[in-house]
Amino acid sequence: MSEDETGMPLLRLRNVEKHFGAVQALAGVDFDVPIGKVTALVGDNGAGKSVLTKTIAGIFEASSGDIFWEGEKVHIRSPKDSAALGIEIVYQDLALCDNLDVVENMFLGRERVSKRFLDEDEMERAATSTLADLHVRTVRSVRQDVDSLSGGQRQSIAVAKAVMWNSKLVILDEPTAALGVAQTRQVLALVRRLADQGLAVVMISHNMNDVFAVSDRIAVLRLGQMVAEGPASKFDQSMIVDLMTSGRTERTVPEKKHEATGAEELEKAADDVNAHEDNTPKSEAVETYISTHSGTQSFGEYLKSAWSRIKAGQSGVLPVVLGLVLIGAIFQSQNANFLSAGNIVNLLVQGSVFMLIGMGQVFVLLLGEIDLSLGFVAGIGGVVVTELVQPGMAWPWWAAILAALVVTAFIGLVQGSLITRLKLPSFVVTLAGLLGFQGVMIVLLGTGGTIPIPNQTINNLANGTLSPLVGWTLMIVVLVVYAATTTLRHNQRKKSGLVTPPDGLVVVKIAAAALAGIVLVVICNIQRGNPAFPFSGMPWVIPIVFAVLVLWSTVLGRTRFGRYIYAIGGNAEAARRAGISLANIRTAAFVLAAMTAGVGGIIYASRLQSMSTSFDGGTIVLYVVATAVIGGTSLFGGRGHPLHAVLGGIVIASIVNGMALLGLSAAVQFMATAVVLVASITVDVVVRRRGGGAR
């Protein structure tokens, strides 16, 4: 037995037992794990291998027996205890989130932050360094989504994730299951390299060829008992089969020197298989890996990478942007007023309510849930503001808005708690909310029907306009901030030696943003009234929608909370194993969704300058779901962005507005929106299937 400097194995189990009621899963197990060696744990199905490793990992607590770590007796009661010791486990299902990239998966639950925001550059450097140390050369980019990786690449990422936290013991559960020949050899080379770097490795496997290829020691479990344990040289495959089936063997193995296959030899064999299958020389493959992992990309490399993502279905907002261009062209050809300044501004204001509530719905959809109550939650937000600014109460406008947001956030907290704590289906809870909050609105509004809003500031939120000077000033400030942050981030990545897009692309992005801002301000400042009633300027609601978009984009893209929402939507079990509190994150998402709906309800009330019992929250929430999905957010969770709700809102507003200009009935408008929604969901399903088929 190989021992460390103290003469003791890294991990020792003595007389460990585990009971599940009357069932004894482990019976007096003794098990030693030395450092710098691969210990293969073998046994038939039901032998207790998973229970033993989960007991070591802290998922189960041993019923009795002693566990020694580096010679000291320890108590492992939770995964946190085992992680603190330096024990990591790679499960057979790998526990990776397909919708996150390599870096995001490797740091899930242990993200590095700087000034409360995710330090993406530092995490990318650390992930790249870890993969390089382990000689993982088949991953083209650490910014690839995991769903685009092969089985062997995914296994390599899971192992790298386990060893990058100063681990001392890594447990691998069937690491080569369902892998091809080349991928198996790559993973075995990685396993061997872990031991060569001084880590203790426990590998569970049913494949005896893999066991003898890399293991230094073999331990055999049968019916919860350790029936044999020792150097691999004292076993052969026939002996192990006897021990697994009967618990004893009369076979003997001639004296021989067993040496596990070296990592370099396994890697060479894997490269030879890859070269034979792909007709790609090994040196070329390695060179490609290096060239895509550092430095500034050329325009050709960037376009090639972008085209690869598009072919894989990762086209971002491109389909909806092209759809908007097509919609605009069709309606403009039928009515010359569709793209007039007045109509464009009008449809942006019309769609603002859907955009705002839709951004709230995105939080819920990212979790793979749905909130059918947001329409009437928005209505309650509008009612609260309306009631509080009435002459009898005369609250300041800002206090009324704050109160409305608190009320709607509380509604989200209650519904989120029912869903996450009591495990009730979100569809049922929020459907009940849709019905119940409609009744609450009627109670709050009374029998008066319609209540006007006497506060001019509230009414101006959707109806007021900025002066041309203020509009230009606001646009310039936003553009300067965007240009500065984009350039600074680009230069920081270049300085750190990370992959960066071409310098010219940064200029193109800033120029495109400037052009869009200039066009928007020019359109808003065009005279939209008539000589008797001149009317121009950017509506207040446009900066409001933009501010909410920037806020929620930052929360989802730059904070741990946002990362965890995506992780839960992609693979809730992987998020749980990473130490993420699923209940807290899910509840918070419902709170933010309801509060954002409250903002949309306030804008709705402002636009009508009143609230009434005719408020149709049911129709609004259906449009809101359509808004998010049409924009690109997945109904299945894990993929989406607040920008999708904004783009989807523009699409729906364009359809409704354009058909109204053509004099088409509401029935035709509903059917057209339905067709667009079905097409969007179809694209979502096709993309998910393509991503799954890539493996």
Side-chain angles (χ1 to χ4, degrees):
M1 178 188 301
S2 178
E3 299 172 344
D4 63 14
E5 312 85 62
T6 64
M8 300 297 293
L10 177 67
L11 174 70
R12 281 195 305 150
L13 274 63
R14 290 294 178 265
N15 199 32
V16 169
E17 297 189 356
K18 178 60 184 176
H19 300 270
F20 296 97
V23 178
Q24 186 173 24
L26 298 177
V29 171
D30 293 345
F31 186 42
D32 291 342
V33 181
I35 63 171
K37 301 293 181 183
V38 177
T39 301
L41 181 61
V42 299
D44 206 351
N45 292 331
K49 303 186 299 297
S50 294
V51 175
L52 177 59
T53 55
K54 288 180 178 179
T55 300
I56 296 172
I59 295 175
F60 299 145
E61 184 177 356
S63 301
S64 62
D66 298 320
I67 300 177
F68 297 90
W69 181 261
E70 296 180 325
E72 299 290 332
K73 186 175 180 179
V74 296
H75 297 281
I76 302 177
R77 298 184 176 91
S78 69
K80 186 176 293 185
D81 293 339
S82 66
L85 293 173
I87 301 173
E88 296 286 342
I89 184 167
V90 179
Y91 296 93
Q92 187 172 351
D93 62 5
L94 303 184
L96 297 175
C97 298
D98 287 351
N99 59 318
L100 302 184
D101 64 31
V102 172
V103 176
E104 292 165 346
N105 268 285
M106 290 179 67
F107 279 88
L108 185 61
R110 299 172 177 177
E111 290 80 6
R112 296 178 182 176
V113 296
S114 176
K115 298 178 181 178
R116 298 187 179 182
F117 293 111
L118 296 174
D119 193 341
E120 296 286 2
D121 292 352
E122 175 59 28
M123 289 189 287
E124 186 171 333
R125 281 192 294 269
T128 302
S129 175
T130 299
L131 293 173
D133 290 344
L134 295 175
H135 289 222
V136 177
R137 301 177 306 191
T138 59
V139 179
R140 292 194 308 273
S141 169
V142 292
R143 286 305 179 182
Q144 280 182 266
D145 282 355
V146 166
D147 66 358
S148 68
L149 302 180
S150 67
Q153 291 170 329
R154 291 161 62 86
Q155 185 74 56
S156 298
I157 298 306
V159 173
K161 175 183 177 181
V163 304
M164 72 182 301
W165 305 109
N166 296 320
S167 307
K168 297 180 180 180
L169 168 61
V170 178
I171 302 173
L172 306 170
D173 188 1
E174 298 287 356
T176 60
L179 298 183
V181 175
Q183 295 173 344
T184 294
R185 289 175 178 172
Q186 289 167 357
V187 172
L188 292 178
L190 183 57
V191 172
R192 188 65 253 170
R193 192 170 297 281
L194 296 179
D196 293 345
Q197 292 182 353
L199 277 71
V201 181
V202 174
M203 183 179 77
I204 302 173
S205 180
H206 283 93
N207 190 315
M208 292 299 107
N209 292 328
D210 294 349
V211 167
F212 282 96
V214 297
S215 63
D216 302 290
R217 293 173 49 80
I218 298 176
V220 185
L221 267 177
R222 179 179 182 272
L223 300 178
Q225 295 180 319
M226 189 68 71
V227 296
E229 182 182 9
S233 59
K234 293 185 178 181
F235 298 91
D236 63 16
Q237 294 194 24
S238 298
M239 288 181 63
I240 291 179
V241 171
D242 288 346
L243 291 166
M244 289 169 56
T245 55
S246 65
R248 58 189 178 85
T249 182
E250 297 179 356
R251 302 175 189 268
T252 59
V253 178
E255 283 294 327
K256 62 178 181 177
K257 182 179 180 181
H258 171 80
E259 290 186 1
T261 308
E264 290 77 9
E265 184 178 346
L266 288 166
E267 285 177 346
K268 182 179 183 302
D271 287 336
D272 290 342
V273 173
N274 280 328
H276 176 72
E277 292 178 350
D278 302 336
N279 294 319
T280 302
K282 175 183 174 182
S283 59
E284 182 179 335
V286 175
E287 183 178 345
T288 301
Y289 170 85
I290 295 173
S291 67
T292 57
H293 275 73
S294 62
T296 302
Q297 293 177 307
S298 66
F299 262 107
E301 290 174 332
Y302 179 82
L303 292 175
K304 182 179 179 180
S305 175
W307 180 243
S308 297
R309 291 195 298 270
I310 291 174
K311 289 194 298 182
Q314 301 174 15
S315 52
V317 299
L318 182 61
V320 70
V321 171
L322 295 177
L324 274 172
V325 172
L326 179 62
I327 290 171
I330 292 174
F331 283 126
Q332 180 66 18
S333 67
Q334 300 298 312
N335 190 311
N337 291 324
F338 181 75
L339 293 180
S340 65
N343 194 59
I344 290 176
V345 174
N346 186 46
L347 70 85
L348 289 176
V349 174
Q350 283 180 329
S352 61
V353 173
F354 299 138
M355 297 176 197
L356 288 166
I357 305 177
M359 282 190 273
Q361 188 72 259
V362 165
F363 278 98
V364 179
L365 292 177
L366 283 173
L367 297 173
E369 307 281 359
I370 195 168
D371 192 335
L372 297 177
S373 69
L374 288 185
F376 282 109
V377 171
I380 288 179
V383 170
V384 170
V385 164
T386 301
E387 294 283 5
L388 292 180
V389 296
Q390 294 301 308
M393 303 191 73
W395 280 40
W397 64 268
W398 58 267
I401 291 175
L402 182 61
L405 297 183
V406 170
V407 169
T408 53
F410 179 75
I411 291 173
L413 176 63
V414 172
Q415 292 194 132
S417 298
L418 291 174
I419 293 165
T420 59
R421 311 293 175 176
L422 299 183
K423 311 298 183 184
L424 301 180
S426 60
F427 180 88
V428 174
V429 172
T430 59
L431 178 60
L434 181 150
L435 300 173
F437 297 138
Q438 183 176 11
V440 171
M441 276 192 63
I442 295 174
V443 171
L444 292 175
L445 290 171
T447 58
T450 300
I451 300 179
I453 298 177
N455 187 287
Q456 191 59 40
T457 302
I458 298 293
N459 290 331
N460 281 341
L461 293 177
N463 300 297
T465 58
L466 304 174
S467 69
L469 177 60
V470 173
W472 281 111
T473 302
L474 185 62
M475 187 276 293
I476 292 172
V477 170
V478 170
L479 181 61
V480 168
V481 172
Y482 172 74
T485 54
T486 302
T487 304
L488 179 62
R489 174 162 175 74
H490 179 76
N491 291 337
Q492 286 177 337
R493 289 183 62 83
K494 283 184 65 176
K495 185 177 180 180
S496 300
L498 300 174
V499 177
T500 56
D503 294 343
L505 184 65
V506 177
V507 176
V508 170
K509 287 182 177 180
I510 295 173
L515 178 62
I518 291 171
V519 169
L520 177 62
V521 175
V522 168
I523 289 175
C524 290
N525 287 341
I526 291 176
Q527 181 58 244
R528 305 191 296 274
N530 54 55
F533 299 97
F535 184 64
S536 65
M538 180 184 294
W540 287 19
V541 73
I542 292 179
I544 291 173
V545 171
F546 181 77
V548 174
L549 172 62
V550 171
L551 175 62
W552 290 155
S553 297
T554 302
V555 168
L556 286 172
R558 299 290 307 280
T559 68
R560 281 177 169 167
F561 171 75
R563 179 66 47 81
Y564 296 164
I565 285 183
Y566 282 106
I568 293 172
N571 188 336
E573 178 59 21
R576 185 191 67 80
R577 293 178 188 173
I580 297 170
S581 174
L582 305 191
N584 290 342
I585 298 298
R586 282 173 167 156
T587 302
F590 277 94
V591 170
L592 293 180
M595 187 173 68
T596 310
V599 177
I602 294 169
I603 297 300
Y604 178 94
S606 171
R607 186 161 176 262
L608 297 182
Q609 301 185 25
S610 65
M611 281 298 292
S612 72
T613 53
S614 64
F615 178 85
D616 190 359
T619 300
I620 287 177
V621 77
L622 296 180
Y623 270 120
V624 163
V625 174
T627 291
V629 175
I630 288 172
T633 296
S634 174
L635 276 173
F636 304 100
R639 299 189 186 278
H641 192 277
L643 178 61
H644 295 162
V646 174
L647 294 176
I650 296 175
V651 169
I652 289 180
S654 298
I655 293 173
V656 173
N657 180 281
M659 290 190 171
L661 287 177
L662 298 180
L664 299 178
S665 66
V668 176
Q669 296 176 25
F670 285 134
M671 288 187 286
T673 305
V675 170
V676 174
L677 176 59
V678 171
S680 302
I681 295 176
T682 302
V683 170
D684 182 25
V685 171
V686 170
V687 168
R688 288 176 62 86
R689 288 177 179 172
R690 181 177 295 182
R695 296 193 294 275

